Amino acid sequence: MRVAVAGGTGMVGKFVVAELRAAGHRPVILARSHGVDLATGVGLEEGLSGSDVVIDVTNIVTTRRKTAVDFFSRATGNLLAAARSNGIGHLVTLSIVGSDEVDFGYYFGKRVQEALVRDGGVPWTVLRATQFFEFPEPLLDTRSPVVMMPRMLTQPVAAQDVAEKLVEHAVQGPSGTAREIAGPARLDTVEMTRRILRTRGRRRLVVPVTLPGKVGKAMTGGGLLPHGEYVQCRRTFDEHLASLRQVTLAGR
C-alpha cells in the first residue's frame, strides 16, 4: 500500500515512515524538504498521486490561537482538496486528547482541523493521543539555565506507540473518531522534565508555570486525560528514560 505521510519529517512522522516501511508499505513524505508545502498547497497534487491513504501528523509550534487556526485551516483544507482530486480512500489524522475541552490557543487549531476532516468528503479516522514522552525535550534544547514548564497533568504516551496506532488505523480503514490512546501512567509535565534532565546529566532550573484561569485549571485538573474507554499503550516513561540514558552514555 502506498501511504502519504503529511509531516513525515517531524517527530511522530519519522516513526510513522519507519513503521510503514517495516510493515512492507511504501511511504511518501509530504514535507517542505521534499517539495511539498501543505500551507500553500505547492506540490500536494503530485505528492499524493498514486497514494491509497494519507496519514496527517503535521504540526506547528505556537501557543497563539490565530496562528494555529490559520495554519490548520489552510493545511488541512489544501490536503483535503488534493485528497479528493486524487481519489484518496482514507485520511488518518492525529489529534490531541482534551483539545475539544481545554480552551488553549493551539487546541483551537486542532478543533478546526478535526471539523474540516469530518466534513471534508474523504473517508476519515481521527486518532487523539495524550502528550508524548518527548513533549518537554524541545524546550530543553536551549542554552538558558532556566526552563519554564507549563504544569499539565497528563497520561503521556510514546511517540513510537502513537505511530504504530496510526499505521494500524491506516491499514484497517476509516473508523471515524477512534478510541483515544494514552500511556500507562499519569504524570505531571514538570516532574517529567526534571527526570529527563537528571537522565541526561544536565543542570537546569525547572520553573513550574500554571496557566491562568480556566485553561490552567483544566490542564492541571484532568482536562488532558482520556475519558471513557481508551487504548492504553505499552511503553512506559521509565523505558523512555532508559533509552535516553543509553543515548547520553553513547555520546560521551
Side-chain angles (χ1 to χ4, degrees):
M1 184 168 65
R2 186 180 175 94
V3 182
V5 184
T9 58
M11 179 178 62
V12 179
K14 290 178 180 178
F15 283 121
V16 170
V17 169
E19 184 68 20
L20 285 167
R21 286 177 177 151
H25 302 294
R26 292 174 294 160
V28 177
I29 297 174
L30 306 180
R32 281 181 293 181
S33 59
H34 288 67
V36 178
D37 189 334
L38 269 75
T40 64
V42 171
L44 255 180
E45 288 288 343
E46 297 84 353
L48 287 183
S49 179
S51 294
D52 305 292
V53 178
V54 177
I55 298 177
D56 183 10
V57 290
T58 52
N59 190 35
I60 183 173
V61 180
T62 184
T63 60
R64 295 176 62 85
R65 175 175 179 173
K66 183 179 185 304
T67 303
V69 169
D70 180 64
F71 172 78
F72 284 111
S73 295
R74 289 186 289 117
T76 307
N78 289 333
L79 185 59
L80 284 164
R84 288 192 297 267
S85 65
N86 278 277
I88 298 297
H90 186 194
L91 170 61
V92 183
T93 301
L94 176 62
S95 192
I96 303 172
V97 169
S99 60
D100 58 337
E101 298 181 23
V102 180
D103 291 335
F104 183 58
Y106 176 81
Y107 296 163
F108 284 101
K110 298 301 288 185
R111 294 179 195 178
V112 168
Q113 181 187 36
E114 289 190 21
L116 287 171
V117 169
R118 287 194 297 268
D119 298 329
V122 178
W124 58 277
T125 300
V126 169
L127 175 65
R128 291 178 180 169
T130 52
Q131 298 293 338
F132 308 137
F133 293 156
E134 296 86 349
F135 168 75
E137 296 186 27
L139 300 177
L140 306 181
D141 293 332
T142 67
R143 295 184 180 275
S144 173
V146 178
V147 178
M148 309 293 287
M149 180 57 58
R151 279 200 177 279
M152 294 163 37
L153 177 62
T154 183
Q155 197 165 324
V157 64
Q160 175 71 61
D161 281 335
V162 175
E164 290 175 3
K165 293 298 180 184
L166 288 166
V167 172
E168 284 181 18
H169 281 291
V171 172
Q172 291 170 1
S175 58
T177 302
R179 281 199 295 169
E180 297 175 341
I181 62 173
R186 295 181 179 184
L187 293 168
D188 182 89
T189 49
V190 174
E191 178 59 23
M192 288 171 62
T193 304
R194 288 173 174 156
R195 292 177 66 185
I196 289 172
L197 285 169
R198 287 197 296 269
T199 299
R200 288 172 137 190
R202 294 188 179 183
R203 293 182 180 274
R204 301 280 181 85
L205 175 63
V206 179
V207 178
V209 177
T210 301
L211 296 180
K214 293 181 179 179
V215 172
K217 185 176 181 180
M219 284 187 167
T220 58
L224 299 178
L225 297 175
H227 300 292
E229 292 187 1
Y230 68 94
V231 176
Q232 182 173 296
C233 297
R234 59 187 179 85
R235 289 180 174 87
T236 67
F237 189 60
D238 285 340
E239 290 171 338
H240 175 69
L241 293 178
S243 66
L244 282 182
R245 189 175 298 112
Q246 291 178 347
V247 171
T248 300
L249 292 173
R252 289 178 177 173

